[in-house]
Amino acid sequence: MVRLSGRSGARSARRPSGLRARPAPDRAFGVPERETPPDALGEERRKGPFSRVRSAVGGLSVAGQVFLLQVVIVLLLVVAAVVALVLQVRYDTRQEARNRSVAVAEAFANAPGTREALDDPDPTAVLQPRAEAAREATGVDFIVVMNTDGIRYTHPKPDRIGKQFVGTLEPALAGKVVVEEITGTIGPLVQAVVPIKDPDGKVVGLVSAGITTDTVGGTADRQLPLVLIAAAVALALSTAGTALVSKRLLRQTHGLGPHEMTRMYEHHDAVLHAVREGVIIVGGEGKLLLANDEAQRLLDLPEDAEGRRVLDLGLAPDTAELLDSGRMATDEVHLVADRLLAVNQRPTHLRGRLTGSVATLRDSTELRALSGRAEEARERLNMLYDAGVGIGTSLDVTRTAEELAELAVPRFADFATVDLFDVVLGGGQPEAVTLLRRTACSGVRKDVPLYPVGEQIRFVDSSPQARALSDGHAVIEPRLEAAPGWRAQDPERSAQVVDFGIHSLIAVPLRAGSLVLGVVSFWRSRKAEAFDADEVALAEELVARAAVSIDNARRYTREHSMAVTLQRSLLPRSLPEQNALDIAYRYLPAQAGVGGDWFDVLPLSGARVALVVGDVVGHGLLAAATMGRLRTAVHNFSALDLPPDELLALLDELVARIDQDEAAEGDSAPVTGATCLYAIYDPVARRCTIARAGHPPPALIRPDGTVEFPDVPAGPPLGLGGLPFETAELELAEDSRLVLYTDGLVEDREHDIDEGLDLLRAALTRAGPSPEETCQEVLEARPPARPSDDIALLVARTRALGPAQVAEWDVPADPAAVARVRSAVTRTLDEWGLEELSFTTELILSELATNAIRYGGDPIRVRMLRDRTLICEVFDSSNTSPHLRYAAMTDEGGRGLFLVAQLTERWGTRYLPGGKVIWAEQPLP
């Protein structure tokens, strides 16, 4: 080791004996440009080739020799790999040929009919086509069948049939398999000979299959170019990599010779002592070997420090212990006099033995002061970042205000309060100065004497909060005890706040653009220093970020309230009165926003009831408004007494027209994903006709409690068009329960629809007999969290109109038959206790039956139903529709329907596949 003085400038160093001055290398791989003396030319010619090669290699630089060695090694490896791969490929190919020959020969020998063909008078006629087909299918060059004497029955070349087989047959005649490589009639080949045995094990014939040597070697020949190309690419890549490594080695040494390296060693003292960082080298015995000028200044070392133990230099105990121990240290801070020194130390090893340590010292006193301010700035940036991601996680005004107060405490203030205008909490926009309400309060203690959450506050004009609201800028009160304007707000409470220890305040208006939503107050008690101007700027930035989230929550609250109001006005507020079904329903809104799920119960003519459930995908005002339009359309279409499939077809056309109108306006998205299920239940026939447009299938609970999902054809969603809707007709026993629902009940982000249907089936199996119990059980089976989509659930238990409530008569196409119908009607009404309706009912049925006989077609039937009203129906097979009109004074007819309309509560026409029904309803007395 070279001994260096701590105070010398540039010192000489002992040059290593192995270093020699070298001329600059050339630009390729470090080959020196040397001139050969004339007298040496003859000497070089007298040397042998090996000597000349060794001389040439020895003349290369280290980088050049490394390059040459690696290229030779890579070339040898590539050649060895190519040779080994080619040999392996040829071996594997021949082995595959042997295996294939044996497999084909054995398969053909044991094939059905091969042994029997040997007994045929002409075995060649039977076996030659089979052998050729098998040869072409398996890819072998020949399949030869022969007798035990070796005479061929088959061969690819017909002129070879009947001649002696070339090969070894004795082992095969002994029952063994023979595989050999020979030169046959079609050239060098690999062939296998397999015996054909009868059931007793006797060899009755032989089969040989083989592949020629040309075919065997073809695979290797085809693979060899690819192998050679890959080897060439590998050689090129390896050579390029080796060249890059050699150039890098040459570049790192900079082509310096011993002379230049020696000169660098001679100057290292100057560099060592010129750096602005202390350097200390300590030997294995704890003695100081070297200390540069900066280290002597920082540690205030004596002049004779080098060579003495570091424990005897009068250093601070912790610093001396660290330097003496030689342990590893990274930026370890030590106090030396009035300086803070950052110490980095690493142990040194020689041949696996600890020989000492090297330590660097850096004065970090000023850096610590700067880092403290940087840490404070970083904390403020982190708080602003956390405000960006932590405030506004929900679209709730109150929760957003609470997040702002919780973020500020205790990182910025000891207490934080948020006061918002009352109208903002409801989603409105404050237009004038109104009362504020304390919306959020957070602090390091709970017993702070500030206004509590929920209390209405009117700030006086002199208070910091009022001034911030009026000026639109933050207001700071560094000393609250000396702020009369703040104390005038509430003298008694203000005194309590000061006594509590709160001494400084920043009031910041909560502004979103030009709109002022409220004011945020930051209070300080624990830290003795008052708020300063930098903290005011931070408070304004923090509140500005929170104001955007609060304003977004306010806007959402307003739109949500509007959408909820619209949705509630569009959904049925009560179910209509009817006797066909006992109905219960539930509607659960989504967790966020309002959706387009809806349902309805529509009484129809003939005591029938229509059930409808629909869903408009999406949330918000558009979904709610679209839902209202569809519900209104279903109301109007149901008044036409249309079958479910025809009603859905009209609804599909309506949605398509809505899409066209909105596409023309260009400001709305099309109605995609709207679904609907429409069902009509007839209590007289106890039949339910159902059609659906992309909607989940209904569930049916039989009276015995079994649950099933009827197979109702699933049509496309509304608005797609192009495909007709189909209906399914179910026969329902009385007390059956029909369950209609929207997709939010059976699927969400975590469960698919199949899993949801299984859960629904299990819940319906456990449900009680009433519709209310069924709804309750279905909803209780769901997870407790609010759904991500709206849920509409409709449960209808069927009832039936028994024979005692239905009267029906067939009417001949004879006007005289109307009198008999009137008599039967009168008797029926007397039995029902409705004698008061006899006159009007006879008049109604007489008019309707007479019109059917005169203008309709056979058959004609009259039916009367006693339900919540008295229903009279006349059926005929024609499709002509009667129209109500005003008859002139001179007209003999045309007044019948007018009288019917005046005597009934309502009347109409219902079309059936085989005709029409004209019906009329009268209220019961």
Side-chain angles (χ1 to χ4, degrees):
M1 180 178 293
V2 180
R3 181 74 179 275
L4 300 177
S5 172
R7 292 183 298 275
S8 62
R11 298 184 177 272
S12 62
R14 184 182 299 120
R15 179 185 304 171
S17 60
L19 294 179
R20 295 181 299 171
R22 298 172 58 94
D26 68 356
R27 290 175 294 178
F29 299 108
V31 180
E33 297 177 351
R34 298 187 297 178
E35 295 183 0
T36 305
D39 57 352
L41 294 177
E43 182 67 22
E44 290 190 1
R45 292 191 187 98
R46 288 191 296 270
K47 293 180 179 178
F50 180 76
S51 299
R52 288 198 296 270
V53 171
R54 183 173 60 183
S55 176
V57 173
L60 295 175
S61 66
V62 175
Q65 293 179 3
V66 170
F67 170 76
L68 182 60
L69 178 61
Q70 290 188 358
V71 168
V72 171
I73 292 175
V74 170
L75 182 60
L76 292 177
L77 290 176
V78 169
V79 171
V82 170
V83 173
L85 184 59
V86 170
L87 294 178
Q88 182 65 34
V89 169
R90 291 185 177 274
Y91 172 77
D92 292 343
T93 304
R94 290 182 176 274
Q95 190 65 28
E96 174 63 20
R98 295 171 66 90
N99 295 338
R100 189 189 302 179
S101 300
V102 173
V104 172
E106 288 183 342
F108 195 85
N110 297 319
T114 301
R115 183 182 57 80
E116 290 78 0
L118 297 176
D119 299 331
D120 193 86
D122 188 3
T124 300
V126 178
L127 295 175
Q128 177 70 7
R130 296 182 184 178
E132 288 303 298
R135 180 181 65 82
E136 294 177 358
T138 56
V140 298
D141 288 312
F142 68 87
I143 297 178
V144 174
V145 184
M146 67 196 83
N147 59 17
T148 55
D149 296 329
I151 303 301
R152 301 187 184 98
Y153 289 148
T154 66
H155 197 278
K157 296 180 179 180
D159 58 344
R160 301 292 193 271
I161 298 175
K163 295 182 180 181
Q164 183 68 33
F165 177 75
V166 179
T168 303
L169 301 180
E170 288 75 10
L173 293 174
K176 299 181 181 180
V177 176
V178 181
V179 181
E180 57 184 346
E181 298 182 13
I182 65 169
T183 300
T185 59
I186 58 176
L189 53 86
V190 178
Q191 69 179 11
V193 181
V194 177
I196 302 175
K197 300 179 181 180
D198 61 7
D200 297 333
K202 181 181 177 182
V203 177
V204 297
L206 303 173
V207 175
S208 176
I211 302 177
T212 62
T213 305
D214 294 338
T215 303
V216 174
T219 302
D221 295 338
R222 290 191 298 272
Q223 292 180 355
L224 185 58
L226 180 61
V227 173
L228 293 177
I229 292 174
V233 172
L235 178 61
L237 293 177
S238 301
T239 304
T242 303
L244 291 176
V245 172
S246 300
K247 285 187 176 182
R248 183 177 180 86
L249 179 61
L250 182 64
R251 186 170 58 251
Q252 288 179 347
T253 60
H254 301 286
L256 296 177
H259 177 70
E260 290 83 359
M261 296 296 291
T262 301
R263 187 168 58 199
M264 291 179 60
Y265 291 155
E266 291 174 349
H267 294 326
H268 85 284
D269 266 356
V271 176
L272 181 66
H273 294 286
V275 296
R276 294 295 305 274
E277 193 171 83
V279 178
I280 290 180
I281 300 178
V282 180
E285 301 81 10
K287 292 183 179 181
L288 178 63
L289 300 181
L290 182 143
N292 68 350
D293 292 346
E294 183 68 9
Q296 291 204 357
R297 184 184 69 84
L298 294 176
L299 296 177
D300 195 17
L301 296 175
E303 294 184 359
D304 59 345
E306 292 184 3
R308 297 171 55 183
R309 290 179 57 85
V310 294
L311 297 177
D312 302 332
L313 297 178
L315 301 176
D318 57 340
T319 307
E321 185 275 331
L322 172 62
L323 298 177
D324 182 67
S325 65
R327 61 180 174 84
M328 183 180 294
T330 302
D331 286 337
E332 194 170 300
V333 179
H334 291 261
L335 179 62
V336 178
D338 57 347
R339 299 186 182 94
L340 288 175
L341 301 183
V343 181
N344 290 275
Q345 182 169 270
R346 295 294 183 272
T348 59
H349 298 82
L350 180 62
R351 298 184 183 89
R353 184 174 61 86
L354 181 64
T355 58
S357 62
V358 178
T360 61
L361 311 172
R362 186 176 66 254
D363 190 353
S364 61
T365 305
E366 296 180 0
L367 183 61
R368 287 286 170 176
L370 292 175
S371 65
R373 290 194 292 270
E375 182 67 23
E376 183 178 354
R378 188 182 68 175
E379 173 60 25
R380 292 183 178 183
L381 289 176
N382 288 340
M383 184 168 63
L384 292 177
Y385 172 79
D386 293 341
V389 300
I391 298 177
T393 58
S394 66
L395 292 174
D396 182 80
V397 176
T398 301
R399 180 56 194 155
T400 305
E402 292 174 350
E403 289 172 346
L404 169 59
E406 292 170 358
L407 177 70
V409 177
R411 299 169 67 176
F412 177 70
D414 297 318
F415 300 94
T417 57
V418 181
D419 305 316
L420 300 177
F421 291 109
D422 274 336
V423 67
V424 173
L425 296 174
Q429 179 175 332
E431 298 178 355
V433 178
T434 58
L435 293 177
L436 291 99
R437 186 177 298 276
R438 178 133 302 172
T439 308
C441 179
S442 179
V444 295
R445 292 175 57 182
K446 300 296 184 182
D447 56 344
V448 60
L450 298 173
Y451 289 116
V453 174
E455 184 168 341
Q456 283 190 333
I457 307 172
R458 183 186 295 277
F459 291 106
V460 298
D461 294 339
S462 62
S463 65
Q465 291 84 353
R467 284 184 286 154
L469 291 173
S470 60
D471 298 340
H473 300 288
V475 176
I476 181 174
E477 286 290 353
R479 297 178 57 203
L480 291 179
E481 69 275 8
W486 171 74
R487 298 176 70 93
Q489 172 68 35
D490 188 342
E492 182 179 355
R493 187 180 294 273
S494 300
Q496 295 175 356
V497 170
V498 173
D499 294 340
F500 186 78
I502 297 177
H503 58 83
S504 187
L505 165 67
I506 298 177
V508 185
L510 195 64
R511 300 183 53 176
S514 60
L515 185 64
V516 179
L517 306 176
V519 62
V520 182
S521 302
F522 300 100
W523 314 79
R524 174 170 288 176
S525 64
R526 292 186 174 183
K527 191 175 180 181
E529 295 82 4
F531 286 116
D532 55 22
D534 291 341
E535 291 171 320
V536 171
L538 176 61
E540 288 181 326
E541 179 69 19
L542 183 63
V543 173
R545 298 195 179 197
V548 176
S549 299
I550 292 178
D551 188 51
N552 289 339
R554 178 191 66 84
R555 293 173 182 268
Y556 171 78
T557 301
R558 180 186 60 189
E559 295 182 2
H560 181 73
S561 300
M562 294 172 58
V564 168
T565 302
L566 175 62
Q567 184 187 42
R568 290 178 178 174
S569 65
L570 295 176
L571 288 173
R573 299 185 180 181
S574 61
L575 297 181
E577 296 181 353
Q578 45 80 33
N579 291 340
L581 297 170
D582 182 13
I583 295 176
Y585 67 92
R586 294 288 189 277
Y587 186 88
L588 297 182
Q591 183 177 7
V594 295
D597 292 16
W598 55 284
F599 65 92
D600 224 328
V601 179
L602 306 172
L604 302 177
S605 63
R608 297 170 306 130
V609 177
L611 303 175
V612 58
V613 175
D615 182 10
V616 177
V617 174
H619 295 86
L621 287 174
L622 180 61
T626 305
M627 176 267 288
R629 298 170 72 176
L630 296 182
R631 181 171 178 260
T632 302
V634 171
H635 269 266
N636 295 332
F637 293 152
S638 66
L640 301 176
D641 264 333
L642 298 174
D645 54 339
E646 295 183 15
L647 186 141
L648 290 182
L650 294 176
L651 204 61
D652 181 68
E653 294 178 3
L654 172 64
V655 173
R657 288 198 300 271
I658 293 175
D659 289 344
Q660 293 175 359
D661 296 340
E662 293 181 346
E665 294 178 2
D667 58 352
S668 299
V671 181
T672 57
T675 65
C676 183
L677 185 148
Y678 190 81
I680 297 178
Y681 174 67
D682 186 351
V684 178
R686 297 195 302 277
R687 291 183 177 274
C688 183
T689 306
I690 307 175
R692 60 188 178 114
H695 203 80
L700 178 62
I701 308 176
R702 297 291 184 181
D704 59 358
T706 58
V707 179
E708 62 182 80
F709 292 93
D711 185 14
V712 179
L718 299 176
L720 297 182
L723 293 176
F725 297 98
E726 300 181 57
T727 61
E729 191 170 275
L730 309 177
E731 185 170 352
L732 305 181
E734 192 170 5
D735 290 331
S736 298
R737 281 168 288 167
L738 191 64
V739 181
L740 310 182
Y741 53 90
T742 56
D743 59 354
L745 181 68
V746 293
E747 62 178 336
D748 52 29
R749 295 186 181 91
E750 299 179 358
H751 306 87
D752 58 13
I753 190 170
D754 293 333
E755 185 177 354
L757 291 177
D758 292 339
L759 295 175
L760 177 60
R761 181 192 298 271
L764 295 177
T765 303
R766 300 189 303 266
S770 69
E772 282 291 338
E773 292 174 331
T774 304
C775 289
Q776 189 69 23
E777 180 62 34
V778 169
L779 296 184
E780 288 179 353
R782 287 187 50 81
R786 291 186 61 186
S788 58
D789 192 9
D790 293 2
I791 295 177
L793 176 63
L794 190 66
V795 180
R797 184 172 60 186
T798 61
R799 299 173 181 169
L801 287 180
Q805 297 175 276
V806 181
E808 189 173 7
W809 303 275
D810 291 330
V811 181
D814 182 5
V818 177
R820 295 193 295 273
V821 172
R822 288 200 301 267
S823 299
V825 167
T826 301
R827 289 193 301 270
T828 302
L829 292 177
D830 291 342
E831 294 174 359
W832 289 350
L834 301 176
E835 298 86 353
E836 300 178 12
L837 301 179
S838 297
F839 175 75
T840 56
T841 304
E842 289 181 10
L843 183 60
I844 292 170
L845 287 177
S846 296
E847 178 61 30
L848 297 180
T850 301
N851 284 343
I853 294 173
R854 182 176 300 176
Y855 304 108
D858 289 335
I860 300 172
R861 290 191 297 274
V862 173
R863 188 172 71 169
M864 192 165 56
L865 306 176
R866 178 169 59 88
D867 193 35
R868 302 183 69 86
T869 60
L870 182 62
I871 304 172
C872 299
E873 297 180 342
V874 176
F875 169 83
D876 67 84
S877 59
S878 71
N879 290 323
T880 58
S881 176
H883 298 283
L884 182 65
R885 65 185 180 89
Y886 289 98
M889 295 294 295
T890 58
D891 291 344
E892 295 183 359
R895 298 176 180 83
L897 286 181
F898 179 77
L899 292 175
V900 171
Q902 295 299 315
L903 296 175
T904 60
E905 192 172 59
R906 50 184 201 129
W907 72 281
T909 303
R910 180 170 76 250
Y911 291 95
L912 302 176
K916 69 175 181 298
V917 173
I918 303 177
W919 55 270
E921 294 184 2
Q922 301 176 76
L924 297 179

